[in-house]
Amino acid sequence: MNINLTFIRHAQSKRNVLTKGRTAYKNQEEKLGIPNHLIPITEEGKKQAQEVGRQLSENWEKTHSMEEVTVFHSGFVRTKETAKVIEEELRKELSKKGILLTLRCEQNHLIRERDAGHCFEMTQIERESHFPFIEEYWEQEGAWFAVPPGGESFVQVMDRLALFLTQI
């Protein structure tokens, strides 16, 4: 059986814009105040997803031997929105080439992003106040193995993704 896998991270989200690559908010005003799984993508994120759909369509005939595709997403709003925009753009571009795409979307919790734990909705000051040991712990354990309070390590994420790949 021939399987073609393409992994795409969700498009730019509102939190990506607010934290600008940092792991914590700078201040209270930056906080979204909504649960992680409900954070949407931005207008720029929609444009990014459309571009991915166009890029996927460019070499479709060379890279895909079938016209049935399954898109897996974590169920987080930003991943569902990204998948939907990519799907719409891909269908539109492929239909111009006479390719009718059969596409299924499936939610799978194993491919959600890393659980950052209790620190996720904290500012830098709050994190230092509640978890004063965190920086030293991170240095001692190393970034791959350290588990944020209430979260998961990168190694645990890799184990989860290995299970996903085994299942599909």
Side-chain angles (χ1 to χ4, degrees):
M1 179 158 102
N2 203 8
I3 296 177
N4 185 329
L5 291 174
T6 302
F7 289 92
I8 301 167
R9 187 175 186 269
H10 65 79
Q12 181 188 70
S13 73
K14 286 193 174 186
R15 187 171 198 279
N16 295 144
V17 172
L18 292 172
T19 58
K20 297 176 181 78
R22 297 184 314 271
T23 57
Y25 295 109
K26 279 194 290 190
N27 53 50
Q28 291 291 332
E29 291 74 39
E30 278 189 346
K31 288 185 174 185
L32 286 174
I34 59 174
N36 183 20
H37 68 281
L38 297 178
I39 296 172
I41 63 174
T42 63
E43 285 302 315
E44 178 62 26
K46 289 177 186 172
K47 291 175 188 172
Q48 291 170 345
Q50 287 173 327
E51 180 59 26
V52 168
R54 280 191 289 279
Q55 288 177 7
L56 286 172
S57 73
E58 285 178 11
N59 296 312
W60 192 264
E61 298 91 339
K62 295 176 191 168
T63 58
H64 293 78
S65 59
M66 57 188 76
E67 294 167 356
E68 292 185 25
V69 175
T70 302
V71 173
F72 295 97
H73 62 80
S74 68
F76 284 24
V77 166
R78 59 189 169 275
T79 64
K80 288 193 280 191
E81 289 177 341
T82 301
K84 183 176 188 259
V85 173
I86 290 172
E87 173 193 354
E88 289 170 354
E89 193 65 27
L90 186 56
R91 280 185 200 274
K92 181 178 85 175
E93 293 298 318
L94 290 178
S95 70
K96 292 177 186 176
K97 299 177 182 185
I99 300 171
L100 299 176
L101 184 66
T102 302
L103 195 136
R104 298 181 306 146
C105 284
E106 288 185 22
Q107 179 175 324
N108 190 308
H109 69 283
L110 294 173
I111 59 170
R112 73 182 188 284
E113 60 191 52
R114 179 173 168 250
D115 185 348
H118 304 308
C119 297
F120 183 75
E121 268 294 301
M122 291 185 174
T123 64
Q124 186 68 35
I125 292 170
E126 289 171 328
R127 187 166 67 181
E128 290 167 2
S129 171
H130 293 294
F131 304 106
F133 60 87
I134 199 77
E135 296 303 324
E136 184 179 335
Y137 166 71
W138 222 257
E139 286 178 28
Q140 288 177 356
E141 291 298 316
W144 285 100
F145 300 100
V147 180
E152 64 184 334
S153 71
F154 286 117
V155 170
Q156 290 169 321
V157 172
M158 289 187 294
D159 289 344
R160 193 167 31 82
L161 293 176
L163 179 59
F164 168 75
L165 290 170
T166 302
Q167 286 180 356
I168 64 166

